[in-house]
Amino acid sequence: MGCRGARGVGAGLAQRLVAEGEPVLDVPARLSSRVRALGGGSGRKTDDADAFAVAVAGLRARNLQAVAQDDSVEILRLLSTRRQEVVAQRVATVNRLHDVLCQLIPGGARRHLSATTARQLLSTVRPRNAVGKARKQLAQDYLGELERLDARLKELKKSLADVLDEHPTTLREINGVGPINAAKILAETGDVHRFPSRHHFASYTGTAPVDVSSGDNNRHRLNRGGNRRLNHALHIAAVVQYRMPGPGQDYYRRKRDQSKTHLEAMRCLKRRLSDTVYRQLRGDADGLKAGPGGHSGAALQSSAASSNPAH
């Protein structure tokens, strides 16, 4: 049975079918759209035409990935999605609280506001009129909501760490990849064997540059496609590595010495991180043991961007 979006919108249906013993193939959306366009008719996207195109693609196409039941990955995906929602709520609450504090306190509050700082600022406010008292009450409501969201984020982080402890992964050995980033990478990647090589994985993460060469002019531009959640996880890891002393920072500085801008050097570092993450995921999936430096088959000087980044 073919299923489009088996790792996205159709993940719930695909996992339910697999649990019932039905074989399910993941049909890429681009493949089904090609079948629909070449199948005759108007080529418009309707439910019937789309279902027929997915079925034909599932029957005729080769090398389609079979969907496997993986409860741990599904749990990580659910927890990561929920955490992203709580983070968005927290950002909105902080913005509202900051706006009210700017009206209560002369000079306003600083940009990066925490619950502890906001409570200290509110303790110094003594409004005398009814409007000021109403604003302080509103700020206290926002502060209480912010504290509840912070507590919820800590609980979700602990839940993610507990799932990763039950299903160990070598991703956490990479500098800059903590439990939250590791859970996000695992949840968004799924079965790493669906990527034939590290280049395919880099294209999926959006870290592979897009070739825009013309004639003798060789140029590449930023890839704005790919999985943006995975790209963000790699970006966080790259920021940690270039700020902390180590092989990652050395690699970044070598790129800067090659007349690359900060953004260009960061893109190179993210690409090396993408290759390392792919290597770690393949090692975990194949049951390989990590090398002495923490990476599968790596030397003692192990890093996402080591002095010898060749694979």
Side-chain angles (χ1 to χ4, degrees), residues 83-306:
R83 184 185 179 277
Q84 192 67 26
E85 295 172 353
V86 176
V87 168
Q89 294 176 7
R90 186 187 185 280
V91 171
T93 302
V94 169
N95 290 338
R96 297 188 185 102
L97 177 59
H98 189 274
D99 180 60
V100 177
L101 289 177
C102 287
Q103 300 176 30
L104 282 172
I105 302 173
R110 64 182 185 181
R111 181 178 179 183
H112 300 288
L113 192 63
S114 64
T116 303
T117 304
R119 186 167 293 281
Q120 293 174 353
L121 291 175
L122 275 178
S123 63
T124 62
V125 177
R126 298 289 187 273
R128 297 183 178 181
N129 53 18
V131 176
K133 293 179 180 179
R135 285 175 177 165
K136 183 175 181 179
Q137 181 60 46
L138 182 60
Q140 289 175 343
D141 292 343
Y142 286 143
L143 178 58
E145 183 179 352
L146 177 59
E147 291 174 341
R148 289 192 296 272
L149 292 174
D150 286 341
R152 182 57 182 150
L153 286 175
K154 290 181 180 179
E155 294 174 359
L156 288 171
K157 183 178 180 179
K158 184 179 183 303
S159 299
L160 289 170
D162 291 342
V163 176
L164 291 176
D165 290 339
E166 295 177 1
H167 305 275
T169 174
T170 57
L171 284 177
R172 299 173 69 176
E173 299 175 3
I174 302 176
N175 187 22
V177 180
I180 295 175
N181 263 1
K184 185 183 296 185
I185 291 172
L186 291 172
E188 296 297 327
T189 302
D191 184 11
V192 69
H193 290 100
R194 64 193 180 106
F195 303 103
S197 67
R198 59 188 175 91
H199 305 294
H200 290 81
F201 184 73
S203 178
Y204 181 71
T205 60
T207 56
V210 179
D211 187 10
V212 289
S213 302
S214 177
D216 296 333
N217 188 11
N218 295 323
R219 293 182 56 194
H220 295 81
R221 66 170 177 82
L222 175 65
N223 185 357
R224 300 187 182 278
N227 189 309
R228 304 317 297 173
R229 289 189 179 184
L230 267 177
N231 189 279
H232 181 261
L234 294 175
H235 176 77
I236 295 300
V239 170
V240 172
Q241 289 208 1
Y242 104 86
R243 288 181 177 178
M244 296 179 60
Q249 188 181 84
D250 297 339
Y251 177 83
Y252 168 82
R253 289 177 177 175
R254 286 200 304 273
K255 290 300 178 182
R256 291 303 306 270
D257 293 339
Q258 297 174 6
S259 301
K260 292 186 179 295
T261 64
H262 167 71
L263 293 179
E264 291 173 343
M266 287 295 293
R267 291 168 193 165
C268 295
L269 182 56
K270 285 171 65 176
R271 173 56 196 270
R272 292 302 179 188
L273 272 167
S274 175
D275 295 345
T276 299
V277 167
Y278 177 76
R279 187 167 62 249
Q280 297 296 99
L281 290 174
R282 288 297 297 259
D284 292 341
D286 297 337
L288 299 179
K289 294 183 179 180
H295 296 279
S296 304
L300 288 173
Q301 228 175 8
S302 164
S303 172
S306 62

Side-chain angles (χ1 to χ4, degrees), residues 1-3 7 24-29 31-32 53-67 191 193-194:
M1 179 180 295
C3 181
R7 293 177 177 84
V24 180
L25 297 176
D26 184 16
V27 178
L31 179 60
S32 62
V54 171
V56 172
L59 288 173
R60 300 299 182 184
R62 299 180 180 179
N63 300 325
L64 292 180
Q65 293 292 327
V67 179
D191 184 11
H193 290 100
R194 64 193 180 106

